[in-house]
Amino acid sequence: MVAVLTDSTASLPGSTADALGIRVVPLRVQVEGADRPDDAASREVLAAHLRAGGTATTSQPSRADLAAAMDAALDDGAGAVVCLHLSAELSGTVDAARAAAQEVTARRGAPVHVVDTRTVAGGTGLAAVAAAERAAAGADAARVLAAAREVAARSHVLFMVPDLHHLARGGRIGPARTYLGSALGVHPILTLRGGRLAVAETVRGGARTRRRLVELAVRAAGGPRAATPRGDGGPVRVAVHHFAAAEAADELAGALEERLAETGAEVAGVLRSEVTAVIGAHTGPGVLGVALAPG
């Protein structure tokens, strides 16, 4: 049996992680002077804190916490562990996981593999789901790893943020881009390039930006002028995220499903979830996101 482990920034719905047996290691968020795990309770506290003008910082899980999760998987009967984490360009989590994996492998004699997904949120989450599905079907570690890497490589993540101030404060985006967004009153759409956050487009007006987000997502899914390589022609995996914007996310998911249906794309369900506090701390309330992995 191969166990699949990821971190909280994958933003998987709890029911999905539980159903597939995916183990989730939380990052940490510091809000109002308290260090908290990256969970639902922290997310609620954080949203209110940020709306009141507060700030928050985040940190990666410790090597010990990661090693404990790997050990727990092996204790439960796994013969190998596959760990998928957010891009090393965004966090030191991958490096900590690699150190923990080396320690656990040497001590337990069981292989622990660590994958830098080079993405975040649903990009990592969809890869974890694909890996867990392959593991549940009885695949060995090599095939589980292949599934994880293939989906991560094909994934395309898009985020619409109200502004870039939170990302700039955390050093995730350049100050010039922050000034541009503020000066023109536009809504940036972010993506990942080379594992790093980048501004894909800036669009004036919230409604227009949401429409553009849907169009970019449809293109990434293999629609007209597709920007993401297709896989084997299977269903498109989709995740829709938000932070403190559930109603807007539902509308976004509905519009996206409608447009994908118009293109004839086969969709393997839509995972809907609120991003974790660690991501919310860097994007601020109101963020909407889409992750897709063409089949």
Side-chain angles (χ1 to χ4, degrees):
M1 179 179 75
V2 180
V4 175
L5 183 151
T6 190
D7 60 70
S8 55
T9 66
S11 300
L12 286 172
S15 57
T16 300
D18 291 343
L20 292 170
I22 300 172
R23 296 170 183 269
V24 180
V25 179
L27 274 73
R28 310 292 300 184
V29 59
Q30 294 74 45
V31 185
E32 297 180 332
D35 181 75
R36 302 168 179 270
D38 189 19
D39 57 17
S42 297
R43 189 168 54 215
E44 293 179 9
V45 171
L46 175 66
H49 182 64
L50 293 178
R51 283 189 171 124
T55 60
T57 57
T58 62
S59 58
Q60 67 201 46
S62 69
R63 172 176 168 176
D65 286 343
L66 289 158
M70 296 168 188
D71 274 325
L74 296 173
D75 289 342
D76 285 347
V81 184
V82 172
C83 309
L84 294 86
H85 296 292
L86 77 159
S87 174
E89 300 290 347
L90 302 177
S91 169
T93 300
V94 165
D95 289 336
R98 286 174 175 154
Q102 185 174 22
E103 171 200 326
V104 172
T105 296
R107 176 163 42 80
R108 301 290 296 266
V112 180
H113 308 276
V114 176
V115 177
D116 177 357
T117 63
R118 305 286 288 170
T119 183
V120 71
T124 302
L126 293 175
V129 167
E133 289 174 347
R134 190 71 61 88
D140 60 16
R143 286 185 292 168
V144 172
L145 271 170
R149 288 170 174 154
E150 287 166 8
V151 172
R154 293 200 302 268
S155 70
H156 197 79
V157 175
L158 296 158
F159 278 99
M160 169 188 169
V161 295
D163 59 61
L164 293 172
H165 293 295
H166 294 284
L167 285 162
R169 188 174 58 242
R172 263 64 178 188
I173 207 80
R177 285 293 194 179
T178 307
Y179 174 77
L180 177 65
S182 300
L184 300 180
V186 296
H187 294 267
I189 296 176
L190 305 178
T191 189
L192 280 97
R193 295 177 183 146
R196 296 184 178 186
L197 285 174
V199 176
E201 293 187 8
T202 51
V203 185
R204 188 181 300 276
R208 185 179 297 173
T209 306
R210 285 190 292 274
R211 289 194 296 272
R212 184 57 179 159
L213 179 61
V214 169
E215 291 306 312
L216 290 174
V218 169
R219 185 186 302 180
R225 304 190 307 280
T228 301
R230 293 304 306 267
D232 58 9
V236 180
R237 297 175 182 271
V238 182
V240 173
H241 298 308
H242 71 94
F243 182 55
E247 185 175 342
D250 286 341
E251 293 175 359
L252 174 65
L256 179 58
E257 289 180 278
E258 182 177 333
R259 283 289 292 116
L260 287 171
E262 290 173 358
T263 69
E266 183 183 355
V267 178
V270 177
L271 292 178
R272 304 189 190 195
S273 68
E274 189 166 15
V275 293
T276 56
V278 163
I279 293 180
H282 294 291
T283 62
V287 66
L288 295 172
V290 178
L292 305 100

